């Protein structure tokens, strides 16, 4: 049996689900794109090809092997995008929460059924259908659960709005001992540089007391300010709109000291090393074209 344990974003990783790019299928039609970044690459003829994405994900698998992390991969579904494992579920403490994601993606959770079968059934929950939630928006951080959402009245108009306030409410009910803090994110169906698809596209904690953050990803100045005050201004690495577009906040922590990052994030990686982090650089620029990166394609199951 798998004894789930995830209390934060950075404790030493022991077991993880890493998505797969195998049999990812043909380039989607423009009208089938889930986000503006994918759409722009479909239009430009630069949408990533399977062989490149498989190679990128294998580089991450190799880093996990180096650090002795147990890695689970989804079973392959023919012609189906299974890269972004973070969207389909997430662990808080010892509870696995099945995400309510876009209906077209329902098959993804089936592909990790062999993993879920190793988890005690009373530790797996699913929110009701009206509570939309994806793992990219949910970050356990000690006594807090930080959640990206979209509170505006036009929620239904945005395919990029993935987690709603009903889900925030269910998180509060499921984890009464934690403070659930939600953040209203900026959404755009058409302009990738104006779209924070998930919270981890504009913010992520690293180490024990630091974070990467992009101010314009937040619609409410005071909510952005809350994070800056919480971590301390000197501990916040602010990224530009361009860096957000390239997913600089979407790195992944193996431990409080070791971070997997994209090799082209020169400013970020230099800063992390200055601050004493070990940075494991991998190529992930092709996967980034689908508006997701390292955190999006990993689902931690056990951290120390």
């Amino acid at each position: 049996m798998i004894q789930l344990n995830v209390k934060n974003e950075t404790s030493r990783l022991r077991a993880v689900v890493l998505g797969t790019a195998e049999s990812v299928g043909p380039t989607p039609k423009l009208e089938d794109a889930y986000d503006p970044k994918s759409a722009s690459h479909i239009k430009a003829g630069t949408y990533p090809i399977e062989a490149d994405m498989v190679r990128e994900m294998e580089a991450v698998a190799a880093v996990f092997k180096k650090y002795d992390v147990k890695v689970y991969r989804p079973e392959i579904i023919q012609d189906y995008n299974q890269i972004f494992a973070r969207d389909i579920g997430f662990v808080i403490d010892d509870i696995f929460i099945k995400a309510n994601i876009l209906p077209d993606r329902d098959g993804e959770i089936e592909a990790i059924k062999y993993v879920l079968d190793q988890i005690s059934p009373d530790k797996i929950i699913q929110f009701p259908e009206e509570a939309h939630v994806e793992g990219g928006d949910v970050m356990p951080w000690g006594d807090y659960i930080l959640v990206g959402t979209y509170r505006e009245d036009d929620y239904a108009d945005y395919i990029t709005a993935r987690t709603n306030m009903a889900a925030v409410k269910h998180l509060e009910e499921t984890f009464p001992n934690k403070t659930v803090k939600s953040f209203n994110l900026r959404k755009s169906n058409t302009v990738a540089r104006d779209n924070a698809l998930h919270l981890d596209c504009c913010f992520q904690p690293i180490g024990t007391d630091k974070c990467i953050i992009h101010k314009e990803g937040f619609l409410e100045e005071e909510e952005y300010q809350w994070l800056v005050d919480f971590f301390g201004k000197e501990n916040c690495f602010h990224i530009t709109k361009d860096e957000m577009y390239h997913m600089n906040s979407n790195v992944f922590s193996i431990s409080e000291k070791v971070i997997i990052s994209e090799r082209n994030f020169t400013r970020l990686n230099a800063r992390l090393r200055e601050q004493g982090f070990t940075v494991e650089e991998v190529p992930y620029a092709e996967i980034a074209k689908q508006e997701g990166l390292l955190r999006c394609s990993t689902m931690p199951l056990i951290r120390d």
Side-chain angles (χ1 to χ4, degrees), residues 254-272:
I254 289 185
S255 73
E256 291 166 350
K257 284 283 175 213
V258 181
I259 295 174
I260 310 179
S261 182
E262 215 286 322
R263 64 185 179 189
N264 294 305
F265 295 170
T266 43
R267 194 173 78 93
L268 172 68
N269 294 345
R271 170 69 178 264
L272 292 174

Side-chain angles (χ1 to χ4, degrees), residues 35 37-38 40-41 46-48 53 56 83-84 192 243-248 250 262 264-265 283-294 296-297:
D35 65 87
K37 193 170 182 184
S38 293
S40 67
H41 283 289
T46 51
Y47 194 80
M53 294 191 291
E56 289 183 345
I83 292 171
F84 298 120
E243 287 170 328
M244 186 202 90
Y245 172 78
H246 290 293
M247 300 269 138
N248 277 233
N250 207 274
E262 215 286 322
N264 294 305
F265 295 170
Y284 232 56
E286 293 304 302
I287 283 170
K289 291 176 177 179
Q290 298 181 68
E291 206 151 348
L293 205 81
L294 291 151
C296 293
S297 54

Side-chain angles (χ1 to χ4, degrees), residues 211-241:
C211 74
I212 303 164
I213 194 165
H214 176 63
K215 183 179 183 181
E216 289 171 60
F218 298 86
L219 283 174
E220 320 282 341
E221 171 102 26
E222 63 271 23
E223 290 177 1
Y224 154 80
Q225 196 57 51
W226 185 92
L227 284 168
V228 172
D229 294 342
F230 182 80
F231 285 91
K233 194 174 171 194
E234 68 288 352
N235 288 326
C236 298
F237 181 71
H238 279 82
I239 56 175
T240 65
K241 195 174 239 195

Side-chain angles (χ1 to χ4, degrees), residues 154-172:
D154 56 356
Y155 178 94
D157 298 340
Y158 284 93
I159 194 169
T160 51
R162 301 292 174 82
T163 297
N164 62 12
M165 287 305 289
V168 173
K169 182 169 155 284
H170 277 282
L171 282 167
E172 289 171 341

Side-chain angles (χ1 to χ4, degrees), residues 1-3 116-121:
M1 293 298 280
I2 299 171
Q3 302 293 330
L116 300 182
D117 286 346
Q118 298 175 61
I119 297 167
S120 175

